[in-house]
Amino acid sequence: MTGTVKTTKEPLFHVVKHAERSGRQMIGFRLLAVALSIVAGGLFILAIGHNPIAVYGTILEGAFRSKIAIQSTVKFAIPLCICALGVTLAFKMKFWNIGGEGQLIMGAVFASYFALNFPHWNHWVLLLVMLVAGALGGGLWGLLAAAFKVKWGTNETLLTLMLNYIALHLVSYLQAGPWRDPEANGFSKIARFDKNAGMDKVLGVHFGWIIMLVLVALVWIYLKRSKQGYEISVVGESQDTARYAGIHVKKVVLRTMFLSGAIAGIAGVCQVSGSDMTLSMGVAGGVGFTAIIVAWLCQLNPGMILVVSLLFSILEKGSSVVQSTYGLSSDCADVLQGIILFFILGSEFFVRYAFVGRGKKGGAK
């Protein structure tokens, strides 16, 4: 009895890691991705019966057509940028913190406690306490996931994701129970904050934008110029190497996740005290998830996070104007944003990898 030898056919293409590209090549790929995303988005706009040039022009005009529009664009960028800075710290050590949303919410909850219960404190003392409380709330929520990880080796992606929903339903419980506004006439909602608990405006926007700029600088210095930032990078590259170098890996994980959550918590304070003046189920509004995209798109670079957050804000604000101007549903605006993001994020794949034809070996040149 003779055996048969089974052979597997080599695929037509396979993916290989690309040799390191120059800075000019990487910029070129990303600019090409932006151009292709605009073209693809234009084809979509054309398919639904509108002029692509007019729609794109409306997006830009909608974000900058007036002083109020510019202020709204900046206001949207504040929590997005701050939250992206927060998850950047965790991602730098390859701790997959998908919980920016929940950490932002818990920061808002902790800050709201003081806004609702101590509205007549000195204005600046109250705001300072709210910022500290918000950072503490977000930090403890991030620390919880880190503690489970270092103690029992739990999957941080799933745990931080689930904690998002726990935080959200905590807000639901508070607005229907202990913190429910007695004057809400049967509705489950939390009362608006006293003006004393609101962030002052600077150039027409609450001073959260100043906090945002300060945090961009601090996170950059922390990651690039501090000993703790170096430890984060080493732990991210290899925990075994970090241990060999004498770095206490568990301590670094716990500390970094606390800081990651604390920064996201500050974003929550900016939302409740700067924008909403109350705590509600929509306090995060998906910002924590969008922040993950921003952080990765910027290669965890704080300066680029600021720029891309502003670009996202322009797209978000402009898309809302497109909806009202052309009578489009919100789904169409979301599809347009998705097309643009798909191309830009997809370009990151081709920066690092290449398709190689059958019979060819080795990495791409």
Coordinates of all heavy atoms in Angstrom, one line a residue, residues 105-117 126-127 129-135 137 179 193 197 265 268-270 272-273 279:
I105 N -16.0 58.6 31.9 CA -17.3 58.7 32.6 C -17.1 58.8 34.1 O -17.7 59.6 34.9 CB -18.2 57.5 32.3 CG1 -18.6 57.6 30.8 CG2 -19.4 57.4 33.2 CD1 -19.3 56.3 30.3
M106 N -16.1 57.9 34.6 CA -15.9 57.9 36.1 C -15.3 59.2 36.6 O -15.6 59.7 37.7 CB -15.0 56.7 36.5 CG -15.7 55.4 36.3 SD -17.3 55.3 37.2 CE -16.8 55.4 38.9
G107 N -14.5 59.8 35.7 CA -13.9 61.2 36.1 C -15.1 62.2 36.2 O -15.1 63.0 37.1
A108 N -16.0 62.1 35.2 CA -17.2 63.0 35.3 C -18.0 62.7 36.5 O -18.5 63.7 37.1 CB -18.0 62.8 34.0
V109 N -18.2 61.5 36.9 CA -19.0 61.1 38.1 C -18.4 61.7 39.3 O -19.1 62.3 40.2 CB -19.2 59.6 38.2 CG1 -19.8 59.2 39.6 CG2 -20.0 59.0 37.1
F110 N -17.1 61.5 39.5 CA -16.4 62.0 40.7 C -16.5 63.5 40.8 O -16.7 64.1 41.9 CB -14.9 61.5 40.7 CG -14.7 60.1 41.3 CD1 -15.5 59.0 40.9 CD2 -13.8 59.9 42.4 CE1 -15.3 57.8 41.4 CE2 -13.6 58.7 42.9 CZ -14.4 57.6 42.5
A111 N -16.3 64.1 39.7 CA -16.3 65.6 39.7 C -17.7 66.1 39.9 O -17.9 67.1 40.6 CB -15.8 66.1 38.3
S112 N -18.7 65.4 39.4 CA -20.1 65.8 39.6 C -20.5 65.8 41.0 O -21.4 66.6 41.4 CB -21.0 64.9 38.7 OG -20.8 65.1 37.3
Y113 N -20.0 64.8 41.8 CA -20.3 64.7 43.2 C -20.1 66.1 43.9 O -20.9 66.6 44.7 CB -19.5 63.6 43.9 CG -19.7 63.6 45.4 CD1 -20.8 63.0 45.9 CD2 -18.7 64.2 46.2 CE1 -21.0 63.0 47.3 CE2 -18.9 64.2 47.6 CZ -20.0 63.6 48.1 OH -20.2 63.6 49.5
F114 N -18.9 66.7 43.6 CA -18.6 68.0 44.3 C -19.4 69.1 43.7 O -19.8 70.0 44.4 CB -17.1 68.2 44.2 CG -16.3 67.3 45.0 CD1 -15.8 66.1 44.5 CD2 -16.0 67.6 46.3 CE1 -15.0 65.2 45.3 CE2 -15.3 66.7 47.1 CZ -14.8 65.5 46.6
A115 N -19.6 69.1 42.4 CA -20.4 70.1 41.7 C -21.9 70.2 42.3 O -22.4 71.2 42.5 CB -20.5 69.9 40.2
L116 N -22.4 69.0 42.6 CA -23.8 68.9 43.0 C -23.9 69.2 44.5 O -25.0 69.7 45.0 CB -24.4 67.5 42.7 CG -24.6 67.2 41.2 CD1 -24.9 65.8 41.0 CD2 -25.7 68.1 40.6
N117 N -22.9 68.8 45.3 CA -23.1 68.8 46.8 C -22.4 70.1 47.4 O -22.7 70.4 48.5 CB -22.5 67.6 47.4 CG -23.4 66.3 47.1 OD1 -24.4 66.2 47.7 ND2 -22.9 65.5 46.1
L126 N -13.4 75.0 44.1 CA -14.3 73.9 43.6 C -13.8 73.3 42.3 O -13.8 72.1 42.2 CB -15.7 74.5 43.5 CG -16.8 73.6 42.9 CD1 -16.9 72.4 43.8 CD2 -18.1 74.3 42.8
L127 N -13.4 74.2 41.4 CA -12.9 73.7 40.1 C -11.6 72.8 40.3 O -11.5 71.7 39.7 CB -12.6 74.8 39.2 CG -13.8 75.5 38.6 CD1 -13.3 76.6 37.6 CD2 -14.7 74.6 37.8
V129 N -10.8 71.1 43.0 CA -11.2 69.8 43.7 C -11.9 68.9 42.6 O -11.6 67.7 42.6 CB -12.2 70.1 44.8 CG1 -12.8 68.8 45.3 CG2 -11.4 70.8 46.0
M130 N -12.7 69.5 41.7 CA -13.3 68.7 40.7 C -12.3 68.1 39.8 O -12.5 66.9 39.4 CB -14.3 69.6 39.9 CG -15.6 69.9 40.7 SD -16.6 71.1 39.8 CE -17.2 70.2 38.4
L131 N -11.3 68.8 39.4 CA -10.2 68.3 38.5 C -9.5 67.2 39.2 O -9.2 66.1 38.6 CB -9.3 69.4 38.1 CG -9.8 70.3 37.0 CD1 -8.9 71.6 36.9 CD2 -9.9 69.6 35.7
V132 N -9.1 67.4 40.5 CA -8.4 66.3 41.2 C -9.3 65.1 41.4 O -8.9 63.9 41.2 CB -8.0 66.9 42.6 CG1 -7.4 65.7 43.4 CG2 -6.9 68.0 42.4
A133 N -10.6 65.3 41.7 CA -11.5 64.2 41.9 C -11.7 63.4 40.6 O -11.8 62.2 40.6 CB -12.8 64.7 42.4
G134 N -11.9 64.2 39.5 CA -12.0 63.5 38.2 C -10.8 62.7 37.8 O -11.0 61.6 37.3
A135 N -9.6 63.2 38.0 CA -8.4 62.5 37.8 C -8.4 61.2 38.6 O -8.0 60.1 38.2 CB -7.2 63.3 38.0
G137 N -11.0 59.6 40.0 CA -12.0 58.7 39.5 C -11.6 57.9 38.3 O -11.7 56.6 38.3
W179 N -29.1 60.8 42.7 CA -28.9 62.1 42.2 C -30.0 62.6 41.3 O -29.8 63.7 40.6 CB -27.5 62.1 41.4 CG -26.3 61.9 42.2 CD1 -26.3 61.7 43.6 CD2 -25.0 61.9 41.8 NE1 -25.0 61.5 44.0 CE2 -24.2 61.6 42.9 CE3 -24.3 62.1 40.6 CZ2 -22.8 61.5 42.9 CZ3 -23.0 62.0 40.5 CH2 -22.2 61.8 41.6
F193 N -25.7 71.9 36.9 CA -24.7 72.5 37.9 C -25.0 74.0 38.1 O -25.4 74.7 37.2 CB -23.3 72.3 37.4 CG -22.9 70.8 37.3 CD1 -21.7 70.5 36.7 CD2 -23.6 69.8 37.8 CE1 -21.2 69.2 36.6 CE2 -23.2 68.5 37.7 CZ -22.0 68.2 37.1
A197 N -19.8 76.1 39.4 CA -19.1 74.9 39.1 C -18.7 74.7 37.6 O -18.2 73.7 37.2 CB -19.9 73.6 39.5
G265 N -10.0 60.8 32.9 CA -10.9 61.3 33.9 C -11.0 62.9 33.8 O -12.0 63.5 34.0
G268 N -13.3 63.9 31.3 CA -14.7 63.8 31.8 C -15.1 65.1 32.6 O -16.2 65.6 32.5
V269 N -14.1 65.6 33.3 CA -14.4 66.9 34.1 C -14.6 68.0 33.1 O -15.5 68.8 33.3 CB -13.2 67.2 35.0 CG1 -13.4 68.5 35.7 CG2 -12.9 66.1 36.0
C270 N -13.8 68.1 32.0 CA -14.0 69.1 31.0 C -15.4 69.0 30.4 O -16.0 70.0 30.0 CB -12.9 69.0 29.9 SG -11.3 69.4 30.5
V272 N -18.3 67.7 31.8 CA -19.4 68.0 32.7 C -19.3 69.5 33.2 O -20.4 70.1 33.4 CB -19.5 67.1 33.9 CG1 -19.9 65.7 33.4 CG2 -18.2 67.1 34.7
S273 N -18.1 70.0 33.3 CA -18.0 71.3 33.9 C -17.8 72.4 32.8 O -18.1 73.6 33.0 CB -16.8 71.4 34.8 OG -16.6 72.6 35.4
L279 N -24.4 65.9 34.5 CA -23.9 64.6 34.2 C -25.1 63.8 33.5 O -26.2 63.8 34.1 CB -23.5 63.9 35.5 CG -23.1 62.4 35.4 CD1 -21.8 62.3 34.6 CD2 -22.9 61.8 36.8

